[in-house]
Amino acid sequence: MKQIIQSYKTGQMEIVDVPIPPCGDNGVLVQTTYSLISAGTEKMLIDIAKKSMIGKAKARPDLVKQVLNKIKKEGLIPTVQKVLTKLEVPIPLGYSCAGNVLLTGRNIKGIQSGDRVACAGAGFANHAEINVVPKNLMVRIPENVTDEQAAFTTVASIALQGVRQCNPTIGEKIAVIGTGLIGLITVQLLKANGCDVLALDIDSDKLKLAKSFGADVVANSTDTIASAESFSKGIGVDAVIITASSSSKQIISDAGAISRMKGRVIMVGMIPIDIPRDIYYKKELDFRMSMSYGPGRYDPSYETGGQDYPLPYVRWTEQRNMETILNLISQGRLDVDSLISHRFDFENVFDAYKVINGETNEPYLAVILKYDTTQIQKSSITIQKSEKNEDGKVSIGFIGAGNFAQSVLFPNITKLDCILHTLVESNTVNFAVVTKKYKILNMSSNIDEMLENKEINTVFITTPHQMHSHQVIRALNAGKHVFVEKPLAISEDELIEVKSTYEKSQRQLMVGYNRRFSPHARKIRERLDQVSTPLVMNYIVNAGKIPMDHWIQDPQFG
């Protein structure tokens, strides 16, 4: 299948041909029919990626702080190596799409093959021919809603969550600053709530569109304060929803200035949050951030673990917001068709990004990609012809290509006289960088296919912890030597099963406890060889505090 990726190091985009990702127990395999390019978010990612290292640092001071903290804990050289490795990993683009279900995981209920679904999530609803989407990040599409319309679901849910944070009531006067894609959807949602809407922007064409969607008053944002005073009859607006993307600090100041006493200011867009204390304090304004497309966002237990929030306590989650958007489109109360300015076939995706990057000097709003669903897909790909291993070399099948594998294992393995035969990976983005950089002959998402290959005599396992014992057993049973990153197992029962399989296999099994090979450990061992009396040693590892919500703390994964 084909997918578009971008280098975070250089900003260069490319379409890569990668295997179909595995479905998993909690996922659904979806063949994409349409995806929506989120011009604001994706252009921001593209612009940051094209910056120099200094430019990237200025754009993301939060990441710079993380790097500095890591240097304090792990040292300069290891941190620099990890940062450089991270920069070389490309990023997938896209987070709002629609398509047809091809396959469902064992834990999926209510969705079956052939269903049409709208999908959400960066890293899940990518601009790719096929995606694996967790069950809480997709919803079934109503019959009278087209796939093209459904591709708006995620982006529209961002606008909906902003409106929910605003908590509007019938008759309230609300200003929307920024009438881009999300701003125009916000205008429609507020009108559906029975509110009077003031739309503010510097683009007259977008203001005309806002007017056609029901905005009561539209005005140039250079005249924000005067327009809002007239609109609110001198009282001030009840709420302001900021959907603009700008580097100007004036917007948040204007939002406070046009608000009434005890009004609300909701942040949905991307602007500097430099709140002028005097204005917000004297009016006792309520400033709220809107968390993307709703509760559940950024929570791994919800998004990837499939754990829903109980409806009586969390009425509107990401998924329920998505359902609401599709219902509004189905009922004709949300018009997304009028927002489409450009349509491109996926094979011409670079032309779409030329529009967004301003290379064509033409105005744009919603840019839609259409996919050819008639192409035959592959679960594995041979990059170059694999020669038979006749001289007994170590021929490696690699399962997993995460940060540790890329920063430590692959660079060291390439120094040895061995064959990197096949990479099996669930993350399609890793395929693109690893197979090319380390000249791996084949890539696949099918472990069985790799284990059955007689040219492979050794398997490296660097997957998440909970997969280790099961994959070790499968590899040993397939007659392969095995190197597995620590831990070998995460329960005593798993360890007993691994031990039994290993003893029958007559194959080598090694666990990646690398501290035994460090210069410090070797020096200690030399000294201990000179000690003839019994010895007890205690040592402390300064690894820092592990947060309670870290995956290591989860007994199922850690």
Side-chain angles (χ1 to χ4, degrees):
M1 71 165 204
K2 290 181 170 57
Q3 175 176 355
I4 186 165
I5 59 173
Q6 181 192 30
S7 167
Y8 196 70
K9 187 175 183 179
T10 65
Q12 182 178 355
M13 290 185 291
E14 62 177 320
I15 293 179
V16 293
D17 202 2
V18 293
I20 299 172
C23 182
D25 291 341
N26 293 321
V28 170
L29 204 63
V30 179
Q31 185 167 29
T32 312
T33 52
Y34 290 89
S35 65
L36 171 66
I37 296 180
S38 175
T41 302
E42 293 190 43
K43 188 176 187 306
M44 177 191 70
L45 289 172
I46 292 168
D47 290 344
I48 291 176
K50 289 181 178 179
K51 293 179 184 291
S52 65
M53 290 294 286
I54 294 175
K56 287 182 173 71
K58 288 181 178 179
R60 293 298 304 273
D62 56 324
L63 295 182
V64 174
K65 187 176 180 179
Q66 289 180 25
V67 170
L68 293 175
N69 288 336
K70 204 167 188 67
I71 290 173
K72 292 178 183 178
K73 292 181 180 179
E74 301 182 17
L76 177 62
I77 294 177
T79 300
V80 170
Q81 290 174 338
K82 288 182 179 179
V83 169
L84 293 177
T85 299
K86 195 76 173 176
L87 285 172
E88 289 180 353
V89 177
I91 54 176
L93 295 175
Y95 63 88
S96 188
C97 72
N100 302 313
V101 173
L102 297 177
L103 185 67
T104 62
R106 290 188 300 177
N107 298 333
I108 301 297
K109 308 295 181 185
I111 296 287
Q112 58 187 7
S113 178
D115 285 348
R116 295 186 306 131
V117 291
C119 308
F124 300 114
N126 306 312
H127 299 314
E129 291 179 325
I130 293 180
N131 286 300
V132 172
V133 186
K135 64 180 182 180
N136 283 344
L137 293 180
M138 64 181 164
V139 291
R140 190 183 285 107
I141 302 171
E143 288 186 9
N144 65 334
V145 175
T146 67
D147 286 13
E148 185 179 70
Q149 293 170 327
F152 281 83
T153 301
T154 310
V155 172
S157 294
I158 296 173
L160 177 59
Q161 180 60 18
V163 172
R164 294 204 190 285
Q165 286 293 83
C166 177
N167 195 22
T169 58
I170 295 174
E172 280 195 311
K173 294 184 179 295
I174 299 178
V176 177
I177 301 180
T179 54
L181 183 57
I182 292 177
L184 290 169
I185 294 172
T186 300
V187 168
Q188 295 186 64
L189 296 175
L190 289 171
K191 292 307 296 180
N193 271 276
C195 300
D196 296 335
V197 179
L198 165 64
L200 298 158
D201 204 297
I202 57 174
D203 189 324
S204 58
D205 290 332
K206 289 178 181 175
L207 289 176
K208 288 178 183 176
L209 201 49
K211 188 71 174 178
S212 72
F213 286 142
D216 299 276
V217 177
V218 298
N220 193 295
S221 52
T222 57
D223 196 27
T224 294
I225 295 176
S227 301
E229 185 174 0
S230 173
F231 172 69
S232 66
K233 299 180 181 179
I235 299 171
V237 297
D238 296 290
V240 180
I241 301 179
I242 302 172
T243 55
S245 178
S246 171
S247 59
S248 173
K249 297 180 180 179
Q250 188 62 40
I251 293 175
I252 202 162
S253 178
D254 286 348
I258 67 176
S259 296
R260 66 166 171 82
M261 180 73 73
K262 294 185 178 293
R264 294 104 65 197
V265 177
I266 315 300
M267 174 67 74
V268 178
M270 289 284 292
I271 67 167
I273 304 177
D274 189 3
I275 298 175
R277 184 180 186 279
D278 194 52
I279 297 174
Y280 280 69
Y281 169 75
K282 288 182 178 178
K283 290 186 177 181
E284 203 173 31
L285 298 178
D286 185 359
F287 179 80
R288 303 177 191 172
M289 298 292 295
S290 179
M291 190 173 64
S292 196
Y293 14 105
R297 187 73 182 104
Y298 311 115
D299 179 359
S301 65
Y302 177 89
E303 292 196 325
T304 57
Q307 182 177 336
D308 199 2
Y309 300 154
L311 187 145
Y313 298 97
V314 186
R315 179 62 184 91
W316 299 112
T317 59
E318 287 182 82
Q319 191 176 55
R320 291 169 199 142
N321 276 342
M322 293 169 68
E323 289 173 345
T324 300
I325 289 298
L326 286 171
N327 287 336
L328 289 170
I329 296 173
S330 175
Q331 295 162 10
R333 290 161 46 177
L334 177 60
D335 176 9
V336 294
D337 293 321
S338 301
L339 297 170
I340 300 173
S341 62
H342 294 79
R343 293 178 174 88
F344 293 92
D345 289 334
F346 179 64
E347 60 190 29
N348 299 322
V349 65
F350 295 126
D351 293 333
Y353 281 103
K354 285 180 181 178
V355 172
I356 289 173
N357 290 331
E359 297 177 36
T360 61
N361 293 318
E362 55 185 303
Y364 64 87
L365 197 54
V367 179
I368 287 285
L369 300 177
K370 181 181 180 181
Y371 296 74
D372 180 5
T373 58
T374 63
Q375 296 295 319
I376 298 174
Q377 306 296 336
K378 296 179 182 179
S379 63
S380 64
I381 293 176
T382 300
I383 299 176
Q384 60 190 60
K385 186 176 179 181
S386 173
E387 297 180 359
K388 289 199 172 184
N389 184 17
E390 296 177 349
D391 58 359
K393 279 187 179 181
V394 173
S395 181
I396 299 172
F398 223 100
I399 307 175
N403 291 334
F404 182 78
Q406 292 184 45
S407 60
V408 178
L409 296 180
F410 282 118
N412 284 288
I413 289 173
T414 53
K415 297 175 184 178
L416 306 175
D417 185 20
C418 58
I419 301 169
L420 280 170
H421 189 285
T422 299
L423 171 63
V424 177
E425 171 62 69
S426 59
N427 186 334
T428 55
V429 172
N430 284 340
F431 277 128
V433 62
V434 174
T435 50
K436 182 178 180 180
K437 183 175 181 179
Y438 298 108
K439 299 178 181 178
I440 301 174
L441 302 180
N442 310 281
M443 52 181 170
S444 175
S445 58
N446 190 324
I447 291 179
D448 291 329
E449 187 179 75
M450 184 270 287
L451 293 177
E452 291 169 4
N453 193 311
K454 294 182 179 179
E455 295 178 19
I456 296 171
N457 53 34
T458 305
V459 171
F460 272 62
I461 297 172
T462 61
T463 50
H465 293 180
Q466 77 276 11
M467 299 180 180
H468 287 186
S469 64
H470 178 61
Q471 291 172 344
V472 165
I473 291 169
R474 292 175 67 183
L476 290 173
N477 284 333
K480 315 296 183 185
H481 302 294
V482 178
F483 173 93
V484 58
E485 258 310 316
K486 56 184 182 294
L488 176 60
I490 61 173
S491 73
E492 189 172 354
D493 289 341
E494 287 182 354
L495 189 60
I496 292 171
E497 190 176 1
V498 169
K499 182 174 182 286
S500 173
T501 305
Y502 164 68
E503 289 172 344
K504 297 174 185 175
S505 68
Q506 298 183 333
R507 292 293 183 269
Q508 297 295 320
L509 170 61
M510 183 176 182
V511 184
Y513 289 111
N514 55 28
R515 289 298 85 200
R516 68 184 109 168
F517 302 113
S518 74
H520 301 85
R522 289 177 177 177
K523 193 70 176 177
I524 292 171
R525 197 177 299 116
E526 289 174 7
R527 294 292 182 91
L528 290 178
D529 286 342
Q530 303 169 17
V531 178
S532 58
T533 58
L535 182 66
V536 176
M537 296 181 63
N538 295 313
Y539 66 91
I540 297 172
V541 177
N542 181 19
K545 182 179 179 181
I546 300 175
M548 289 303 297
D549 60 351
H550 194 280
W551 65 268
I552 283 180
Q553 305 281 24
D554 189 328
Q556 290 185 341
F557 304 103

